[in-house]
Amino acid sequence: METQFWHNKWRAGEIGFHQDEVNTLLKSHLSALGIKKGGRIFVPLCGKTLDIKWLLDNGYEVAGAELSELAIMALFEDLGVQPQVSQAGNLKRFHSNNVDLFVGDIFELTGALLGPVDAIYDRAALVALPPAMRAQYSAHLVEITSSAPQLLITFEYDQDAIDGPPFSLDTEEINRQYADKYDLHAAQTRPVDGGLKGKIEATETAWLLRRNC
């Protein structure tokens, strides 16, 4: 899953992973993390998700990381905002009121560059990564956010039937990535309307990850 794969997807407009509406699991379950309005939510591999506007409209600040500059430019265009652009280490930082989005390799994003966050909303990051990359990603995410609580969205389906991404992640996999740092709770599981990619039955789960002591 090399970076060029995702750059090619954005250039070709092959972005079936982009949702045309705000994720209803976000609406239903973010409040369970107990993040006060004004809290800063980190959205890894955010693309141009409409979820960011929902977070802003509901009084949160947003930080994000995304490989594709095309996606971030489209996101700010949708917001109707002209961002300030600056260099942040090996990344570009796109900033406007209450929004900080970092463009480039998420593994180049440090905790110092990101700054404090109160929670993580991961709808499209862990599910986008093949098995060989997941442990590196989950450890990096925990490190740069100081184990901030998470709302994590995953899919489960017959991985032999179609190729990811998004990849199928079962309970064992979520435990493998995060059980040493978080208490895990599957808050809701629901069928994917029309099937995953319109091809196969699948379920979608909202996980609440809270720091364990």
Side-chain angles (χ1 to χ4, degrees):
M1 202 57 68
E2 297 180 358
T3 58
Q4 197 59 44
F5 172 89
W6 294 108
H7 284 307
N8 291 341
K9 288 287 187 183
W10 281 101
R11 290 191 186 105
E14 297 174 358
I15 53 172
F17 48 83
H18 174 72
Q19 295 184 339
D20 292 328
E21 57 186 22
V22 177
N23 189 287
T24 55
L25 294 176
L26 169 64
K27 292 180 177 180
S28 298
H29 297 290
L30 182 66
S31 61
L33 293 179
I35 308 304
K36 295 179 180 179
K37 295 301 174 70
R40 194 163 182 253
I41 312 294
F42 179 51
V43 186
L45 309 191
C46 60
K48 61 173 185 176
T49 178
L50 301 178
D51 297 343
I52 285 181
K53 185 177 187 304
W54 184 87
L55 290 167
L56 294 170
D57 289 345
N58 282 272
Y60 299 101
E61 296 184 9
V62 175
E66 168 57 41
L67 184 64
S68 171
E69 187 168 335
L70 291 176
I72 295 306
M73 291 170 63
L75 189 152
F76 277 105
E77 183 176 349
D78 290 343
L79 291 175
V81 173
Q82 183 65 42
Q84 298 175 351
V85 183
S86 59
Q87 201 66 29
N90 292 325
L91 307 174
K92 279 188 179 179
R93 176 177 178 254
F94 287 68
H95 171 77
S96 68
N97 189 33
N98 295 332
V99 185
D100 279 303
L101 303 181
F102 297 87
V103 173
D105 185 345
I106 191 171
F107 295 109
E108 297 279 356
L109 181 61
T110 64
L113 289 174
L114 175 60
V117 297
D118 298 292
I120 301 161
Y121 169 53
D122 182 347
R123 183 191 73 78
L126 188 63
V127 296
L129 299 176
M133 294 185 67
R134 289 175 197 155
Q136 180 188 8
Y137 164 77
S138 60
H140 181 65
L141 190 65
V142 166
E143 178 184 358
I144 66 175
T145 66
S146 300
S147 306
Q150 295 192 44
L151 172 58
L152 170 66
I153 310 297
T154 61
F155 297 99
E156 194 167 352
Y157 62 92
D158 181 1
Q159 187 75 77
D160 293 329
I162 59 171
D163 293 330
F167 293 97
S168 179
L169 303 178
D170 59 17
T171 299
E172 182 179 349
E173 178 69 5
I174 304 307
N175 275 277
R176 185 159 44 244
Q177 300 305 329
Y178 288 122
D180 62 331
K181 296 293 184 182
Y182 293 103
D183 293 323
L184 312 177
H185 172 61
Q188 181 183 350
T189 298
R190 66 184 185 185
V192 175
D193 290 341
L196 191 74
K197 301 181 180 180
K199 296 179 179 179
I200 186 171
E201 290 185 358
T203 58
E204 186 177 22
T205 298
W207 292 88
L208 297 171
L209 281 59
R210 300 181 178 91
R211 296 184 187 95
N212 55 31
C213 299

